[in-house]
Amino acid sequence: MSETLIDPLGLAPGLETALPVRFARWFDERGWRPRAHQLAMLALAREGRDALLLAPTGGGKTLAGFLPSLVELAETGSGCGIHTLYVSPLKALAADIARNLEAPIQEMRLPIAIALRTGDTPSSARARQRRRPPDVLLTTPESLALLLSYPDAQLQFSKLRAIVLDELHALAESKRGALLALGLARLRRLAPAARVVGLSATIAEPRSLLRYLSPRPESVALVQGEPGAPPEVEILLPGTGIPWAGHYATHAAPAILDLIRRHRTSIVFVNTRAQAEVLFGVLWRLNDDNLPIALHHGSLDVEQRRKVEAAMASGRLRAVVATSSLDLGIDWGDVDLVVQVGAPKSVSRLLQRVGRANHRLEEPSRAVLVPANRFEVLECLAARAAIAEGALDGSGVAAGGFDVLAQHITGVACAGPFDADSLFAEVREAAPYADLSRADFDAVLDFVATGGYALKRYERYRRLVRGPDGLWRLADARLARRYRMNVGTIVEAPMMRVRLGLRGRRLGEVEEYFVSTLTPGDTFLFAGRTLEFIGIREDEVIVRVPRRAREPKVPAYAGGKLPLTSALAARVNAILADRRRWASLPMPVQEWLEAQVRRSSIGEAGELLVETFPRGRRHFLVAYPLAGRNAHQTLGILLTRRMERMRLAPLGFVASDYCIAVWGRVPITRPEELFTPDLLADDFEEWMAESSLLRRAFRNCAVVAGLVERRLPGREKTGRQVMISTDLLYDVLRKHEPEHVLLRAARAEAAQSMTDLRRLSDLLHAIQGKIKHVPLKRISPFAVAIIAGIGKEFVGGEALDQELEAAVEELVAEALA
């Protein structure tokens, strides 16, 4: 592939005159100078070229994406229909961009109308947009799918000239990215003259996204923006020491609060919603100065989140504790510090978060990393080094699933009759479906039309019919409304609303499974406070403020843990393998590594260290693949199954991002017999068929594909009702049509996103002949981190740090004896 690589610095001098006078004056009045990549994007737009712009945070990439549209609309006139379509991964980001666009439009008195179309847009505003389309429409992938499902989609998008995809890296790797890619392929047919622009600050392999933007990637210009000042990243090691185990980092809360005091506005990022609740609670108890600190995560009520976002935008908060809900490019200019609590898990994600501080290209963003344990110190050091080298990570474009394709086909039918041959050719233009076979397409089409072989006798699963003209159309016009009520690929675990008192305000949502573990009088952390569970009324969890203090539980959320990337894991392994680098490590970490060498081993580069030792009446095996939690959990399940067949009497396992521990009643003397590639062939398929994990994957796929609908006219199914419906269908299809497209989709999803099967397979092949088995008489220093958490977990494996202290003290004494 020979795509065009644009050097904007080289283009800039010849392009200065290309900026219209009105726009040049607007820049001058602010003391600004157009950046080279902004002018390059303007020149490419005038040529009608598709482009991918990579520019650091604060580099004006959003303006670069919109500048050509504003110029063109100012020159040719507005009011002719949707000229520019902007797609954002977040509703809040789309709203923020809409506010930022108003400034140049009003100040230059441009006759340009902009509008926001998301799930939060009132129905009256939606109807107005349909009657009188704006010049610039800002939306999300889900709302775009909705717009494309209307019969007038051809008319609505016929004047489209530009499609701007923001934060492209955050979309391309997910199901939402597959849905957006299909929508993009449809837009190319409806508006063939439209150019496509991708914007991103952090992409490991930018060329992998050129195909996402166009079926002719060689025609896409790759524009590299000016590099910004390198970020300043520090690692916080409080004087209280570095814990051996745990992941909440509550030991560092006083130091984090001190950082908040010394800065104007801080975002304190954590990796899970449970961590956010715990850390916010600890900070609040320490906050004697009553600094305004808020909490923000996806399970909180939307009104509470909006209040926090508004308070941040107006500078009324000193800090907010947040999850990935605030990762992307909302522009809060007053933020001057980002604190990452817990290891970052991904270099690109960390760089994205660091970029939330100081939205000015010439000045460095400042971040402080707070490792929760000694393994995390190594990960933080590795991530900081990667950022300094400009080495990012990421998996590029994910393969498209059959469930997303089924949803798209239904949406196309909602817009009007279609020809299967033409639609197949169109779908193959979408990057995630570039390799889709005609047989698989036909199987998905048959599923949408009839439900598939095992379900075709039931009228309720008949959604499409083929007419005498050979075109496919909806079997019942009422199906269009049901499709539009359920569009999207985000399938949350069954949730229940939390309400303070019978008539109090709504606080947010927690998972149904967590609620099932509570009994009246139990307390749990949520919305930044300790709540007492009273009971369930209809579909709501009724709570109150407890009258006396009790140790609270912490809600955990499915999919809440971020996986350690392969690239970052490789860097951690490199630190471990090179003892010359240990001298630069913090002294507690050096001492920990040296103690590990004395008691056990570190292992050579490329080796898998496996330790076995007795403790109490159990026999433990601890391995250190550093392959990420998902792969380790799958490995643990498969190892225990194999141990059962080998009569090693396994009792359980626990996994982290760095290692896995398995224990049983019988000593393991030849671990190399457990870690063989045929583990996947012999055990994986059998386990997948029996496990609840495949049922959960099928549930997700069935909802996305429209086989089971969560929302119906006048009512909404509870999580339990959805689960019962999907479980019944799962059993029927497994028995009567084991190769049904949704079962195939579920197996692919479970293998890719839930079990990290490819990474596990690569690991098992790479370690053959390279397993270093170290039999021990007692636990090693490395093993303390994983063994300390056994039996001290709340729902979902979230263990509070203070619960570990006594166990860690005992284990450390044993490891160093």
Side-chain angles (χ1 to χ4, degrees):
M1 180 174 64
S2 56
E3 77 287 335
T4 306
L5 178 61
I6 302 295
D7 177 7
L9 294 176
L11 281 175
L15 289 173
E16 286 289 357
T17 55
L19 197 63
V21 173
R22 187 189 313 190
F23 287 82
R25 187 182 302 121
W26 181 76
F27 274 90
D28 289 340
E29 287 171 354
R30 273 148 197 78
W32 297 351
R33 183 177 180 276
R35 299 196 183 279
H37 58 266
Q38 294 170 337
L39 295 172
M41 295 295 286
L42 182 59
L44 290 166
R46 285 176 168 156
E47 297 176 7
R49 295 278 304 277
D50 297 334
L52 173 62
L53 169 62
L54 305 181
T57 299
K61 64 179 179 295
T62 303
L63 181 58
F66 278 106
L67 184 61
S69 296
L70 298 181
V71 169
E72 186 172 330
L73 284 166
E75 292 175 345
T76 62
S78 59
C80 299
I82 300 173
H83 175 282
T84 297
L85 180 71
Y86 167 90
V87 184
S88 158
L90 293 178
K91 291 184 286 187
L93 177 57
D96 185 64
I97 297 300
R99 286 190 296 269
N100 292 341
L101 271 181
E102 290 287 0
I105 289 174
Q106 292 178 3
E107 291 165 4
M108 284 186 280
R109 298 181 181 179
L110 302 175
I112 297 173
I114 65 173
L116 188 65
R117 173 63 188 264
T118 70
D120 295 337
T121 305
S123 57
S124 58
R126 297 182 191 184
R128 187 166 57 251
Q129 292 168 8
R130 298 274 304 283
R131 292 192 306 270
R132 190 172 181 179
D135 302 302
V136 179
L137 182 66
L138 300 96
T139 190
T140 60
E142 293 76 19
S143 290
L144 174 60
L146 271 174
L147 291 169
L148 290 172
S149 75
Y150 286 102
D152 64 351
Q154 175 82 61
L155 179 63
Q156 290 286 326
F157 291 108
S158 61
K159 305 294 185 181
L160 190 65
R161 291 296 177 267
I163 303 166
V164 181
L165 309 180
D166 204 356
E167 304 289 0
L168 189 55
H169 64 282
L171 287 168
E173 299 179 3
S174 67
K175 279 190 175 186
R176 297 181 77 208
L179 182 66
L180 177 59
L182 290 167
L184 187 59
R186 176 124 290 241
L187 285 171
R188 287 194 199 94
R189 187 183 68 79
L190 300 179
R195 56 188 176 80
V196 183
V197 172
L199 307 176
S200 181
T202 51
I203 293 181
E205 295 292 338
R207 285 170 176 77
S208 69
L209 292 185
L210 299 179
R211 174 63 182 86
Y212 188 94
L213 296 176
S214 171
R216 297 177 300 281
E218 67 281 355
S219 68
V220 182
L222 179 58
V223 181
Q224 182 67 58
E226 303 166 49
E232 296 176 356
V233 181
E234 301 174 17
I235 298 176
L236 178 65
L237 301 173
T240 53
I242 306 170
W244 288 59
H247 62 274
Y248 282 110
T250 52
H251 72 285
I256 295 171
L257 190 60
D258 186 57
L259 287 170
I260 293 170
R261 286 193 193 98
R262 292 189 283 111
H263 289 81
R264 188 170 57 246
T265 307
S266 304
I267 302 180
V268 182
F269 279 113
V270 295
N271 292 336
T272 70
R273 284 170 275 189
Q275 282 178 292
E277 292 283 356
V278 170
L279 184 62
F280 177 81
V282 175
L283 288 174
W284 194 250
R285 287 193 294 274
L286 295 172
N287 187 15
D288 295 333
D289 298 334
N290 288 320
L291 299 175
I293 301 173
L295 176 66
H296 192 290
H297 62 69
S299 289
L300 298 178
D301 186 68
V302 63
E303 287 304 317
Q304 181 170 341
R305 280 182 275 145
R306 284 176 179 164
K307 288 178 181 177
V308 171
E309 291 161 12
M312 282 291 285
S314 63
R316 288 180 283 124
L317 289 179
R318 292 292 298 276
V320 59
V321 179
T323 60
S324 55
S325 58
L326 295 184
D327 270 6
L328 299 178
I330 299 174
D331 187 359
W332 289 328
D334 283 339
V335 175
D336 57 344
L337 178 70
V338 162
V339 181
Q340 167 65 46
V341 179
K345 306 303 172 191
S346 161
V347 179
S348 295
R349 183 184 300 113
L350 176 60
L351 193 59
Q352 186 77 42
R353 290 180 168 183
V354 172
R356 298 304 99 226
N358 187 18
H359 269 215
R360 288 173 287 278
L361 188 66
E362 295 83 4
E363 300 178 21
S365 299
R366 181 159 185 259
V368 176
L369 311 185
V370 185
N373 58 57
R374 299 182 184 211
F375 270 117
E376 288 197 354
V377 172
L378 300 179
E379 187 180 331
C380 288
L381 289 166
R384 184 173 66 175
I387 286 178
E389 296 170 18
L392 305 179
D393 48 24
S395 56
V397 179
F402 294 153
D403 54 338
V404 180
L405 178 58
Q407 183 181 122
H408 179 71
I409 290 173
T410 308
V412 171
C414 291
F418 66 86
D419 174 71
D421 293 339
S422 298
L423 183 58
F424 173 63
E426 178 185 305
V427 166
R428 293 252 302 187
E429 289 193 353
Y433 296 92
D435 297 324
L436 180 73
S437 70
R438 183 58 193 254
D440 285 341
F441 174 83
D442 288 340
V444 176
L445 177 60
D446 179 63
F447 157 69
V448 177
T450 69
Y453 171 76
L455 301 176
K456 64 174 53 181
R457 71 186 70 179
Y458 302 102
E459 187 70 21
R460 62 185 295 186
Y461 300 117
R462 188 166 173 258
R463 288 184 277 176
L464 302 181
V465 292
R466 194 176 188 187
D469 55 2
L471 300 181
W472 292 89
R473 49 181 49 84
L474 287 180
D476 186 331
R478 291 173 294 183
L479 292 169
R481 183 184 178 192
R482 290 166 64 169
Y483 164 83
R484 294 179 186 124
M485 292 178 70
N486 291 279
V487 71
T489 64
I490 301 174
V491 182
E492 294 280 0
M495 307 290 282
M496 297 187 72
R497 289 187 287 270
V498 180
R499 188 177 294 278
L500 189 60
L502 292 174
R503 295 179 179 83
R505 66 188 181 92
R506 185 187 299 174
L507 301 177
E509 296 179 323
V510 293
E511 287 190 6
E512 223 175 62
Y513 175 71
F514 176 74
V515 177
S516 72
T517 70
L518 300 174
T519 57
D522 283 350
T523 60
F524 63 97
L525 287 175
F526 186 70
R529 63 179 74 184
T530 299
L531 302 171
E532 181 181 339
F533 175 63
I534 297 174
I536 297 172
R537 183 175 178 268
E538 296 179 352
D539 62 343
E540 292 189 326
V541 180
I542 307 301
V543 299
R544 68 184 178 192
V545 177
R547 295 188 177 93
R548 58 190 178 88
R550 300 177 187 174
E551 188 66 32
K553 293 186 177 182
V554 185
Y557 301 86
K561 299 181 180 69
L562 302 173
L564 175 67
T565 63
S566 299
L568 193 49
R571 286 179 171 269
V572 174
N573 266 321
I575 294 173
L576 289 171
D578 187 357
R579 297 189 62 172
R580 293 170 300 180
R581 299 171 65 176
W582 294 3
S584 62
L585 300 177
M587 187 54 65
V589 177
Q590 289 186 49
E591 294 170 350
W592 173 62
L593 293 176
E594 295 292 353
Q596 173 68 17
V597 171
R598 290 194 302 271
R599 171 54 55 88
S600 174
S601 174
I602 297 291
E604 300 296 327
E607 286 185 333
L608 174 65
L609 173 64
V610 177
E611 299 170 338
T612 54
F613 53 87
R615 191 166 192 275
R617 296 182 178 180
R618 298 174 177 179
H619 295 271
F620 287 83
L621 177 150
V622 182
Y624 304 88
L626 273 74
R629 186 184 299 269
N630 286 348
H632 291 169
Q633 286 181 330
T634 305
L635 179 60
I637 291 168
L638 300 183
L639 287 175
T640 52
R641 290 178 68 91
R642 176 162 286 190
M643 288 169 65
E644 285 174 358
R645 289 209 306 271
M646 297 171 67
R647 303 188 181 219
L648 293 174
L651 295 172
F653 78 92
V654 64
S656 72
D657 274 317
Y658 310 109
C659 55
I660 175 173
V662 184
W663 62 92
R665 295 190 180 93
V666 180
I668 300 171
T669 57
R670 296 182 58 82
E672 63 274 7
E673 295 178 357
L674 295 173
F675 294 87
T676 58
D678 61 4
L679 188 68
L680 297 177
D682 294 347
D683 296 272
F684 184 75
E685 288 294 333
E686 182 182 348
W687 164 66
M688 283 278 283
E690 297 173 357
S691 75
S692 60
L693 184 134
L694 192 57
R695 285 182 181 272
R696 189 166 80 240
F698 178 81
R699 189 177 309 141
N700 293 346
C701 293
V703 169
V704 170
L707 184 65
V708 174
E709 295 163 323
R710 294 169 293 180
R711 289 175 285 274
L712 297 167
R715 67 187 180 93
E716 183 172 344
K717 289 183 178 180
T718 66
R720 182 168 178 78
Q721 288 172 327
V722 170
M723 182 174 67
I724 291 171
S725 298
T726 56
D727 283 355
L728 286 171
L729 287 166
Y730 176 78
D731 291 334
V732 168
L733 295 178
R734 273 197 64 199
K735 181 177 181 181
H736 298 288
E737 195 178 354
E739 290 304 308
H740 189 279
V741 289
L742 285 196
L743 287 178
R744 293 169 59 195
R747 287 194 288 268
E749 177 168 321
Q752 179 178 331
S753 61
M754 297 180 178
T755 64
D756 218 342
L757 184 60
R758 173 173 291 183
R759 195 166 173 184
L760 179 55
S761 176
D762 291 344
L763 167 70
L764 291 173
H765 282 89
I767 62 173
Q768 295 311 299
K770 299 178 182 178
I771 294 176
K772 184 178 183 62
H773 176 209
V774 182
L776 301 171
K777 294 181 180 179
R778 61 179 71 92
I779 190 171
S780 74
F782 273 15
V784 168
I786 192 76
I787 302 299
I790 296 173
K792 298 176 180 61
E793 299 177 340
F794 286 118
V795 178
E798 301 287 2
L800 289 169
D801 284 348
Q802 54 264 40
E803 290 286 318
L804 297 175
E805 289 179 2
V808 169
E809 186 176 343
E810 178 185 344
L811 289 169
V812 169
E814 186 179 327
L816 298 180

